[in-house]
Amino acid sequence: MLQTDTLHTKFLELVKSAEAQNGATLLESRQAAFKRFSNNGFPTIRSEQWKYSNITGLLNDALQVPVEPLAVKETQDAGAALLVKLHAPAEWLTILTINGKLHTIQRPTGSKEDNLQISDVQDFLLSTEDDGDNDTVVQQAINKPFSLLNRALFLHGLQLEVKANSQVNIPVHIIHYYTGIENTFLQTRLQLKANKNAHLTVVESFIADSSCKNVVVNHAAETLLAAEATLDHFLVQQLNEQTNLILSEVVRQEQQSDYKNHVISLPFARFIRNNLDIALKGTYSHTDMHGLYMVSPQQVIDNSTGINHLRPNCTSNQLYKGIVADKGTGTFNGRIYVHLDAQKTNAFQKNANLPLGEHAVINSKPQLEIYADDVRCTHGSALGQMNNQQLFYLLARGIKQEIAVKLLSQAFVNEVTETIEQESIRSYVADLVEKALDQM
Amino acid sequence: MLTIKNLFAGIEDKAILKGINLQVNPGEIHAIMGPNGSGKSSLASVLAGKEDYQVTDGEVLFEGKDLLELSPDERAKEGLFLAFQYPVEIPGVSNMQFLKTAVNEIRSYRNQPALTAGEFLSLIKQKQKLVELDDQFLRRSLNTGFSGGEKKKNEIFQLAMFEPKLSILDETDSGLDIDALRIIANGVNRLKNNNNSFVLITHYQRLLDYIVPDFVHVLYDGKIILTGTKDLALELEEKGYDWVKEMAHAKEPAQ
Ligand SMILES: Nc1ncnc2c1ncn2[C@@H]1O[C@H](COP(=O)(O)OP(=O)(O)O)[C@@H](O)[C@H]1O
Ligand SMILES: [Mg+2]
């Protein structure tokens, strides 16, 4: 397994290289983050948060941490061709990164979107300094091992910011494309900031091509919604068995903000871990967390979500569904935390799983911690199985077993895809899901 | 069409069907009556191929083929149709998508080309009229949120779409008001011809006023204990089942 010492050597190289120097304000934060990381190192299955996923094999010795930008062969022209190949919807604003580095920005003809600023990360959105009790949950989230490591070692960071009182009218599609890299432990970063009463829709597609070998992407995201801001956020993970992902997203919401998150994990990566931590810091805010994880044989998809209700009158709604093939492992570890001050909280959580074989492994662990007294919280978890009555009904109508199973699987996932309000995004996701179902 | 010989079946260790014999010829309508729990739905399930049941003895021939050797979908493709007593709701599968999949699977089994979108729609329009099924039910998820009567109508609508050789209607009449009963009975009467057959499982004589059976059988404790014409149904309506039960027990050898 990767050793902290090795990482430390790499870290020192990185600090020396120009890439890290250009963000002088970041340097101190990087050092602080690395120090914190070194204290505990990588998590093990003894940790409550990681008990279902052993990462020792994933973080193998062969992995190298790049300290300078990885070579990218394609020219700017090739960027446009690549977007066609990747089926990037042309009517969206598309930002293509290759192996973490910003490569192409493509706008639909006639669109300006000058209220959206696209830049490198110059500073962290969510600071590590403690600014009072209210922020400790954010601190805890950004101080988790992989977030810390990313803070210390990230090579490329992209930041999107929307001006106050404005709306970006088309979806912004960020394609994280991984190609031609081997034995790489890549740290990439995204920061999203919606200022007061700003409105933004972001679709992130994580796409790996077959030229990658033994790649682990440690992607960290910091998201900030100012008062009255809305953000629709979709993470669509289209990886392969050589390209694995550890994703950590921390979201802070101010009052009357509305954050809708969809994480769609398509099959075939060996390992995907999704950490999602949300802090409802302002009153009258709302969060949606929708997840769909499709686990192929031998694959692990592990979702670890936490929503913190810190202030009164907020609502949250979570629906996570997993389809788990034989010998796949699907995990949902979801915590709702209603703090003392969060009266009139209304929180809903549901996790359901559909195993496709006897040896599918499903871990479902919903957790409710409530410290306020005037709240409404409901949660439920269903390990599930294919409904035999439904299956027999379809068979008895002449539909053969494998097609009937597919129809029922489709129906199972539809509950998640139907929550996508924007037609163009729903069909983008639904097409990918349908294709994945055919291949599972 | 259908020949059942000495059929025994059960679930786990429980014997449910205890030696059924039945012959259904093309163009015939048979009614099967009998008290609750006597095995009527079980018989229908065994014929349709429900996995929960183990056949322990006997034989079933459907159009000369060994029915029990076929998978449930093959039985349907060969022309067997079961209108369920309790049609299951399948949220997330639209009625249209379901019908299209089923119709084309059956057609492909019979070496017929898949229907074009236009042909499919006109087939639907034509069959829909037969049971007065509203458009909105086609757009919705299969049986989801349908009332009892709508579910039963949808079963007969499917029957019309698939044009089976043998249809088994399991208590399609239960819980229907008189208008719905009339609509469904009219549908069945129009679908009926000299080449197809129907088995009506029912509790009530009422349905048989609208669909006139050639034979009426009484199923009790897993066996057909009496067979007659439609007059038998009237007699059962009037006198109840006790006299047939007594008759059945009288025939049994003392334990
Ligand atoms: N899934 C099942 N498991 C065990 N016993 C069953 C099951 N389904 C039906 N039975 C039993 O089989 C017998 C016949 O039931 P059924 O075929 O539903 O009768 P009917 O349709 O005539 O009312 C009853 O004793 C019933 O309890
Ligand atoms: Mg019954």
Side-chain angles (χ1 to χ4, degrees):
Chain A
M1 188 179 173
L2 263 182
Q3 298 301 311
T4 310
D5 286 352
T6 322
L7 290 171
H8 192 230
T9 317
K10 288 293 171 189
F11 176 67
L12 294 177
E13 281 177 43
L14 178 91
V15 164
K16 264 190 240 149
S17 85
E19 193 62 23
Q21 304 293 346
N22 64 14
T25 51
L26 284 177
L27 200 52
E28 255 177 71
S29 313
R30 284 182 187 270
Q31 267 154 346
F34 194 81
K35 197 161 162 239
R36 265 189 199 243
F37 169 79
S38 313
N39 289 342
N40 296 310
F42 289 109
T44 69
I45 51 169
R46 284 188 298 276
S47 137
E48 189 59 28
Q49 298 288 317
W50 286 87
K51 69 175 183 189
Y52 299 114
S53 296
N54 190 334
I55 49 172
T56 48
L58 178 74
L59 298 176
N60 54 78
D61 285 331
L63 287 176
Q64 298 288 327
V65 177
V67 293
E68 48 194 60
L70 298 157
V72 171
K73 281 168 247 139
E74 281 82 358
T75 62
Q76 200 68 18
D77 279 349
L82 190 53
L83 290 181
V84 174
K85 195 183 103 185
L86 297 175
H87 306 291
E91 67 280 16
W92 299 351
L93 193 166
T94 310
I95 301 171
L96 172 68
T97 72
I98 298 186
N99 299 332
K101 188 173 179 358
L102 179 60
H103 187 276
T104 303
I105 298 178
Q106 183 172 282
R107 294 167 195 271
T109 36
S111 102
K112 279 216 283 293
E113 313 305 340
D114 49 14
N115 54 346
L116 175 72
Q117 197 189 327
I118 304 170
S119 64
D120 281 337
V121 167
Q122 301 297 335
D123 200 355
F124 297 115
L125 280 182
L126 306 177
S127 107
T128 47
E129 283 151 49
D130 227 317
D131 68 351
D133 281 352
N134 227 2
D135 234 17
T136 42
V137 296
V138 174
Q139 299 307 315
Q140 279 165 7
I142 60 179
N143 285 328
K144 288 181 178 176
F146 285 97
S147 294
L148 284 172
L149 199 61
N150 186 288
R151 273 176 176 258
L153 289 173
F154 80 93
L155 265 191
H156 305 292
L158 183 65
Q159 181 165 321
L160 268 53
E161 180 168 354
V162 196
K163 284 201 182 117
N165 304 309
S166 77
Q167 168 160 5
V168 179
N169 289 313
I170 50 175
V172 177
H173 190 195
I174 303 169
I175 301 182
H176 307 281
Y177 184 55
Y178 310 106
T179 181
I181 45 178
E182 292 185 13
N183 299 324
T184 306
F185 186 28
L186 188 65
Q187 321 288 315
T188 60
R189 186 166 196 87
L190 177 68
Q191 303 192 156
L192 297 173
K193 184 173 184 189
N195 283 303
K196 185 165 194 272
N197 191 31
H199 309 283
L200 176 67
T201 299
V202 172
V203 181
E204 288 183 72
S205 293
F206 298 80
I207 306 179
D209 82 3
S210 56
S211 63
C212 295
K213 299 267 165 343
N214 188 27
V215 173
V216 178
V217 177
N218 179 26
H219 180 81
E222 292 187 357
T223 299
L224 192 59
L225 282 82
E228 294 159 53
T230 63
L231 174 58
D232 270 9
H233 192 186
F234 302 85
L235 299 122
V236 189
Q237 301 164 346
Q238 310 164 53
L239 301 167
N240 60 38
E241 70 224 358
Q242 290 293 334
T243 314
N244 305 289
L245 177 65
I246 297 168
L247 180 137
S248 311
E249 173 162 10
V250 183
V251 183
R252 199 173 91 188
Q253 293 184 243
E254 303 296 348
Q255 73 268 17
Q256 286 168 272
S257 61
D258 187 353
Y259 178 67
K260 293 192 170 75
N261 177 291
H262 281 80
V263 180
I264 311 292
S265 302
L266 297 161
F268 305 120
R270 246 185 315 139
F271 184 93
I272 293 177
R273 163 76 174 213
N274 293 307
N275 297 300
L276 184 57
D277 284 287
I278 296 177
L280 284 158
K281 279 197 62 185
T283 55
Y284 295 98
S285 290
H286 177 75
T287 311
D288 271 349
M289 288 184 279
H290 292 127
L292 175 63
Y293 43 107
M294 303 173 74
V295 191
S296 47
Q298 317 297 343
Q299 188 194 356
V300 172
I301 300 182
D302 180 345
N303 300 286
S304 174
T305 70
I307 179 140
N308 284 276
H309 283 262
L310 291 153
R311 305 278 296 134
N313 292 300
C314 292
T315 52
S316 66
N317 180 26
Q318 180 171 36
L319 172 67
Y320 265 61
K321 294 187 101 172
I323 289 196
V324 186
D326 217 18
K327 303 201 173 95
T329 304
T331 296
F332 172 78
N333 200 334
R335 192 170 81 141
I336 301 176
Y337 197 120
V338 182
H339 294 249
L340 191 63
D341 191 28
Q343 299 297 358
K344 308 273 182 206
T345 288
N346 195 337
F348 174 83
Q349 182 188 64
K350 180 178 155 190
N351 173 233
N353 292 282
L354 182 64
L356 295 182
E358 259 178 76
H359 302 287
V361 179
I362 290 164
N363 307 302
S364 178
K365 193 173 174 213
Q367 300 169 72
L368 264 179
E369 280 182 60
I370 303 176
Y371 297 95
D373 47 25
D374 184 13
V375 301
R376 270 187 60 186
C377 293
T378 43
H379 71 164
S381 150
L383 292 190
Q385 53 181 333
M386 187 66 65
N387 181 320
N388 280 330
Q389 307 270 11
Q390 294 178 339
L391 187 60
F392 183 64
Y393 190 91
L394 298 177
L395 299 177
R397 293 299 177 254
I399 299 174
K400 56 172 161 297
Q401 173 98 14
E402 96 201 41
I403 295 178
V405 167
K406 205 196 142 194
L407 277 175
L408 293 179
S409 306
Q410 185 85 56
F412 181 83
V413 301
N414 279 354
E415 195 189 353
V416 177
T417 52
E418 275 164 10
T419 61
I420 302 176
E421 286 160 18
Q422 301 87 332
E423 167 63 35
S424 71
I425 300 174
R426 189 171 58 243
S427 74
Y428 175 75
V429 171
D431 286 355
L432 288 168
V433 168
E434 171 138 21
K435 257 188 230 127
L437 270 182
D438 276 340
Q439 293 165 355
M440 267 182 83
Chain B
M1 171 87 50
L2 180 76
T3 308
I4 304 176
K5 287 186 202 153
N6 196 34
L7 181 66
F8 284 76
I11 294 185
E12 282 150 16
D13 289 339
K14 187 180 159 107
I16 298 172
L17 302 182
K18 303 169 184 171
I20 303 258
N21 291 289
L22 184 67
Q23 172 70 36
V24 179
N25 298 310
E28 289 177 355
I29 298 181
H30 291 241
I32 297 182
M33 304 181 77
N36 263 331
S38 52
K40 304 183 296 297
S41 293
S42 297
L43 175 61
S45 297
V46 169
L47 294 177
K50 197 163 190 187
E51 258 186 5
D52 310 4
Y53 290 85
Q54 286 100 43
V55 174
T56 48
D57 201 4
E59 175 178 41
V60 181
L61 294 175
F62 181 56
E63 296 276 84
K65 289 188 181 148
D66 182 352
L67 186 75
L68 302 176
E69 282 299 306
L70 303 177
S71 64
D73 64 300
E74 288 168 337
R75 297 181 194 197
K77 285 164 178 153
E78 288 288 341
L80 180 78
F81 183 91
L82 168 61
F84 286 90
Q85 180 172 4
Y86 305 108
V88 63
E89 301 196 356
I90 311 189
V93 174
S94 87
N95 219 345
M96 284 296 246
Q97 181 191 18
F98 157 75
L99 284 169
K100 198 164 185 180
T101 308
V103 165
N104 283 331
E105 278 245 343
I106 292 171
R107 290 181 65 86
S108 133
Y109 187 83
R110 296 175 186 166
N111 291 318
Q112 296 164 324
L115 292 180
T116 64
E119 289 166 342
F120 177 67
L121 284 178
S122 58
L123 181 66
I124 282 193
K125 280 266 163 311
Q126 179 203 337
K127 304 297 185 182
Q128 221 181 328
K129 283 200 206 102
L130 215 58
V131 287
E132 302 176 26
L133 189 75
D134 200 275
D135 272 345
Q136 58 150 322
F137 297 113
L138 294 170
R139 288 193 293 270
R140 285 211 236 146
S141 284
L142 188 51
N143 291 328
T144 309
F146 289 25
S147 73
E150 289 154 1
K151 283 180 185 162
K152 298 296 177 76
K153 266 193 193 177
N154 201 27
E155 293 293 287
I156 304 306
F157 167 64
Q158 290 174 25
L159 193 163
M161 289 288 294
F162 304 149
E163 297 182 345
K165 294 176 191 152
L166 173 69
S167 304
I168 304 167
L169 277 58
D170 191 359
E171 298 207 24
T172 300
D173 53 331
S174 299
L176 291 187
D177 62 33
I178 195 74
D179 288 334
L181 183 71
R182 218 179 265 137
I183 289 169
I184 282 180
N186 280 340
V188 170
N189 284 328
R190 275 198 266 164
L191 291 167
K192 169 82 190 50
N193 60 42
N194 288 331
N195 302 315
N196 61 15
S197 317
F198 286 80
V199 174
L200 312 173
I201 295 173
T202 180
H203 255 318
Y204 308 104
Q205 193 295 119
R206 194 176 68 153
L207 177 70
L208 307 180
D209 285 341
Y210 296 91
I211 310 174
V212 182
D214 301 300
F215 301 95
V216 173
H217 311 276
V218 177
L219 186 67
Y220 176 63
D221 191 22
K223 286 185 287 281
I224 290 176
I225 53 167
L226 196 60
T227 294
T229 61
K230 70 175 175 25
D231 296 337
L232 176 57
L234 287 169
E235 200 175 346
L236 289 167
E237 179 90 345
E238 206 177 299
K239 300 203 261 177
Y241 285 105
D242 286 347
W243 65 279
V244 245
K245 288 185 197 172
E246 275 162 31
M247 204 174 68
H249 292 306
K251 270 198 241 168
E252 254 166 38
Q255 300 270 321

